[in-house]
Amino acid sequence: MEVGPAGLGAGSAGGGGEAVEVASAGLGAGSAGGVGGVREVGAGGVGDGRVVAFELRGRDGVFGGPSDFVYLPRGSVSEVRAAAGGRFALAGAVCEAVLPARYGAAGDVPVEIRGAGVCSRQVNNFAAADTFACDRLIAVEVLTPGGNWSSYPPHKHDEHHPGHESRLEEIYYYEIAPHGDTAGVGYQRVSPSPAGKTDVLAEVRTGDAVLIPDGWHGPSIAAPGHDMYYLNVMAGPGPEREWLIRDHPGHAWVRASWAGQEVDPRLPVTGRPPHPAPDPEEAP
């Protein structure tokens, strides 16, 4: 979402009674602003009409570290204002529960390093399943240094296998760092899985998105000299909000090879100590 210099932009979190929850974060380029007039609505569309406002500090760009963000519950109506204009991501998902509107500080976002060597990447877990309470929505940011691969080994989450795999649809939104006057480019692969037929090999540039309803996804490839950013937004129908993945059996061995490699020294990009990595079976 872009907000013009006039400082008025409208964003809706389930406006008109839709069952959607939204996490709004600044992408950069003057993303400091405010989310005001958030009217919380209770279950069944009946609320107390309480109006709350949050101030977002934002960041200079997606490669400048985590951003603060605001969670907007289903049934609420919001307005985004930015005096100098800005760019904002609205990540939403269909949901059932009504949770309170909340502010998330950039300093509280867990920064995690995954992989090693040319598979090193950074994950900003601002709305991961185990870091921030939502009903269905899962959202993280991934930073891949130029020349590296992320979302690797290829993995999937398109079937419900309790304790092993979650059924989640996913969207990748990309921004690729330029090198001087040369625009950046990257690549995304999605291959068919037993549960689906999605088959994509896409050249991606800033502003592009890849939809992944099913399939083995990965690698995400950052061209040398062009760091890659992508926003992952996921949600699914499972009884639990959890992110459980299954590696492609032909490439799962890659994880074991990281044990003898160093993490790419370009990470982390925030200057803050990284958060401990999760179970090695989990990683985009």
Side-chain angles (χ1 to χ4, degrees):
M1 174 184 180
E2 292 187 321
V3 177
L8 294 177
S12 174
E18 296 179 74
V20 177
E21 58 183 348
V22 173
S24 175
L27 292 179
S31 58
V35 178
V38 179
R39 188 175 301 276
E40 296 184 320
V41 180
V46 178
D48 60 9
R50 186 168 67 95
V51 176
V52 295
F54 303 95
E55 180 179 354
L56 292 171
R57 298 182 61 85
R59 57 188 171 186
D60 292 333
V62 296
F63 299 103
S67 176
D68 53 355
F69 64 99
V70 169
Y71 174 84
L72 308 176
R74 62 171 287 182
S76 63
V77 176
S78 67
E79 183 178 65
V80 180
R81 298 174 180 266
R87 301 171 58 244
F88 300 83
L90 301 181
V94 173
C95 65
E96 299 174 356
V98 179
L99 303 178
R102 281 161 291 147
Y103 171 80
D108 293 335
V109 174
V111 174
E112 174 191 336
I113 302 301
R114 295 180 183 166
V118 295
C119 289
S120 302
R121 60 273 204 181
Q122 173 176 320
V123 184
N124 299 333
N125 288 303
F126 74 98
D130 58 351
T131 65
F132 189 84
C134 301
D135 184 33
R136 298 286 183 182
L137 178 66
I138 298 173
V140 302
E141 299 177 310
V142 181
L143 302 173
T144 308
N148 286 9
W149 284 21
S150 59
S151 197
Y152 197 75
H155 60 281
K156 74 182 188 78
H157 40 69
D158 55 12
E159 297 180 280
H160 179 60
H161 295 288
H164 299 282
E165 183 179 356
S166 313
R167 183 183 168 195
L168 299 167
E169 295 182 345
E170 186 166 15
I171 297 172
Y172 278 52
Y173 165 79
Y174 304 86
E175 298 208 0
I176 312 296
H179 185 81
D181 296 331
T182 304
V185 64
Y187 297 89
Q188 178 67 53
R189 180 69 171 119
V190 185
S191 55
S193 68
K197 302 302 180 184
T198 301
D199 193 350
V200 174
L201 175 57
E203 179 179 288
V204 294
R205 298 175 182 271
T206 294
D208 288 343
V210 171
L211 310 184
I212 306 177
D214 52 60
W216 303 103
H217 40 291
S220 303
I221 303 172
H226 298 279
D227 295 345
M228 171 185 280
Y229 162 95
Y230 50 87
L231 171 66
N232 286 150
V233 182
M234 294 166 274
E240 300 292 334
R241 176 179 172 255
E242 55 186 354
W243 184 66
L244 300 175
I245 65 172
R246 181 170 298 189
D247 284 341
H248 191 293
H251 301 279
W253 62 268
V254 171
R255 293 192 188 278
S257 72
W258 298 338
Q261 300 181 51
E262 298 292 330
V263 170
D264 192 311
R266 292 173 289 180
L267 298 175
V269 299
T270 62
R272 291 198 283 128
H275 194 71
D279 187 290
E281 294 184 357
E282 303 180 358

